[in-house]
Amino acid sequence: MLTVILEGRPLFMQTPTQILGLVATIIVCGLVLWRGPEKAKQASIGAAIAFLATPMVQNWRDWTKPQWGIFAVDLVFLLFLAALASTGRSWWLRVMMAAQLLTVLSHITMAVNREVLARAYATTTYLLWCVVLLALAASLLSQARPSPLHR
């Protein structure tokens, strides 16, 4: 079990899924910072900040309630991605933004419908984070090979 303590609270690196998410985030963000286009580097920094901020604002006492702190982080990250997307035409950035929008909507769903199970809520956000990372990784491919629309 890999647990990091910050101000007396454990960060979310306790399950294989959480550890894999951390490793994947480090690898993808690192590769994009090293080899990605400028806009992808900016998105990568935003993703890393959002990923690291999430456990700091997480409600550790009650998993059955909406995670308002995480909602705020996810909303700010969505707005950041929207600002990046508004100045370009990168398809991978739009996919990141769409996945992040679904993440924000999952928070709203949990708040509105109290019958949503906490496990489904957490699983949805993990899966959508995978989409965010895949889209970010795709920025490396889109740089190597221009889209047929741009030839």
Side-chain angles (χ1 to χ4, degrees), residues 21-31:
L22 172 67
V23 171
T25 300
I26 290 170
I27 290 171
V28 170
C29 289
L31 284 173

Side-chain angles (χ1 to χ4, degrees), residues 40-79:
K41 289 178 181 181
Q42 294 170 356
S44 177
I45 291 168
I49 290 170
F51 186 85
L52 293 173
T54 294
M56 295 178 200
V57 297
Q58 187 170 349
N59 176 2
W60 291 95
R61 288 181 221 103
D62 191 355
W63 278 87
T64 63
K65 294 208 163 111
Q67 294 285 329
W68 293 113
I70 299 174
F71 169 75
V73 169
D74 285 338
L75 182 61
V76 168
F77 184 47
L78 172 64
L79 295 173

Side-chain angles (χ1 to χ4, degrees), residues 43-122:
S44 177
I45 291 168
I49 290 170
F51 186 85
L52 293 173
T54 294
M56 295 178 200
V57 297
Q58 187 170 349
N59 176 2
W60 291 95
R61 288 181 221 103
D62 191 355
W63 278 87
T64 63
K65 294 208 163 111
Q67 294 285 329
W68 293 113
I70 299 174
F71 169 75
V73 169
D74 285 338
L75 182 61
V76 168
F77 184 47
L78 172 64
L79 295 173
F80 173 73
L81 291 175
L84 281 178
S86 71
T87 61
R89 296 174 33 162
S90 303
W91 66 268
W92 56 266
L93 188 52
R94 293 172 197 260
V95 172
M96 282 182 76
M97 193 172 70
Q100 194 60 27
L101 175 61
L102 290 173
T103 300
V104 168
L105 291 175
S106 73
H107 289 293
I108 294 169
T109 300
M110 181 67 172
V112 172
N113 184 353
R114 304 301 293 181
E115 294 179 11
V116 172
L117 298 175
R119 176 63 73 189
Y121 177 45

